[in-house]
Amino acid sequence: MTDDRVLLLAPRASATGRRLTGAATGRGLRAVTAEGWSAPDGARGTGRTHLYGGPLLADKVAGELDVAALEPPADWLARLPLALTGRRVEAVTLAEARRLRRPAFVKPPTDKFFPARIYPDGSRLPGPDAFDDDLPVLVSDIVCFAREYRLFVLDGAVHDGSRYAVGPSLDPAPLALDPYAAEVRAFAAELLAAADGSLPSAAVVDVGLLEEGRWAAVEANPAWASGGYACDPERVLDVVLRAAGPRSESTPADLPFARTAQR
């Protein structure tokens, strides 16, 4: 049976985008790749468009296509208890972060305005000539993760997952094949229970095993802007379709998580 929905993908090709295209067409959706940062004719007028790309695509076309692109709050990680983050995490403005006089890991929550990495101090961050003082950023104590995992979350539960790193090296593998799978799922259940109501119904949550042996939340991201690594593309698609779809089909509980276009 033909589906009348469209999956609109960003013009920059990615491995996950290609896998989602196959999964979507297999369900009868039309997969349309944008040629530029605007809504192509193939996505206009359908009324049932979903997005997979990144913040720039969402900012350029979500309003025109009436898509609610759901994303975790910028301060989500900072609001978790220390027992779940394994380190101190603060949500501050870039101006506040520039006053740091200690090494810290600094990142923009969603948009990749500048590199997420360890900065020796705040003076090494981009200056006011590059970004506004009120740009939100996360400042974290420095920790080392021995293993990291990506979890596609739907309705408060892990829908699928993948290992993506072992130590500093990228090393994707399906969660089901990882020797720590049971521990990952147990920690994820604890984390998601604690985060109840603070995430949209469809999102990505990354977790990891610290070198000291504790599990910790790494970060949360919008599913429509996240790579799938070794996850099943069919299950990733389930989450993506919910995470960025027609505003009219979003629940009242999800609408507060809809992204506001950044100018």
Side-chain angles (χ1 to χ4, degrees):
M1 183 174 63
T2 301
D3 197 310
D4 65 350
R5 290 177 293 172
V6 170
L7 177 64
L8 177 61
L9 299 105
R12 296 171 183 165
S14 69
T16 300
R18 288 189 288 271
R19 288 193 287 268
L20 289 178
T21 294
T25 55
R27 296 187 190 187
L29 281 75
R30 284 193 299 124
V32 177
T33 299
E35 295 182 0
W37 299 109
S38 61
D41 292 339
R44 290 193 180 99
T46 67
R48 301 193 70 199
T49 299
H50 301 261
L51 302 180
Y52 179 78
L56 182 57
L57 179 68
D59 289 346
K60 295 296 185 182
V61 307
E64 179 183 354
L65 300 177
D66 202 29
V67 170
L70 310 178
E71 62 182 359
D75 64 347
W76 180 79
L77 188 65
R79 285 193 269 144
L80 293 176
L82 183 63
L84 294 176
T85 62
R87 69 225 186 259
R88 181 177 49 178
V89 182
E90 298 175 283
V92 300
T93 64
L94 182 55
E96 292 172 307
R98 291 191 191 109
R99 295 196 287 269
L100 284 171
R101 293 297 175 262
R102 60 180 173 85
F105 183 85
V106 184
K107 73 180 292 290
T110 299
D111 301 78
K112 294 179 172 59
F113 290 117
F114 61 85
R117 61 179 175 84
I118 295 172
Y119 289 84
D121 59 57
S123 69
R124 307 297 182 89
L125 289 164
D129 57 327
F131 298 107
D132 292 340
D133 287 347
D134 60 357
L135 181 74
V137 297
L138 294 175
V139 175
S140 305
D141 288 342
I142 299 168
V143 295
C144 292
F145 284 95
R147 307 173 77 87
E148 295 176 76
Y149 301 83
R150 172 145 297 173
L151 307 175
F152 280 81
V153 175
L154 192 62
D155 293 324
V158 176
H159 198 61
D160 200 21
S162 168
R163 185 184 71 218
Y164 64 85
V166 175
S169 301
L170 189 66
D171 188 14
L175 179 59
L177 301 181
D178 187 84
Y180 290 82
E183 292 183 43
V184 172
R185 289 188 176 277
F187 177 73
E190 178 186 0
L191 173 61
L192 294 172
D196 184 41
S198 66
L199 288 172
S201 67
V204 160
V205 174
D206 293 348
V207 303
L209 179 64
L210 295 168
E211 286 189 343
E212 65 193 58
R214 295 171 57 192
W215 289 94
V218 176
E219 61 184 3
N221 288 298
W224 45 266
S226 299
Y229 294 108
C231 289
D232 179 347
E234 292 285 349
R235 299 187 75 77
V236 171
L237 183 61
D238 292 338
V239 182
V240 168
L241 293 178
R242 176 84 66 83
R247 183 174 292 270
S248 62
E249 296 178 11
S250 297
T251 66
D254 269 339
L255 284 176
F257 296 102
R259 178 180 175 88
T260 301
Q262 305 296 304
R263 302 297 180 188

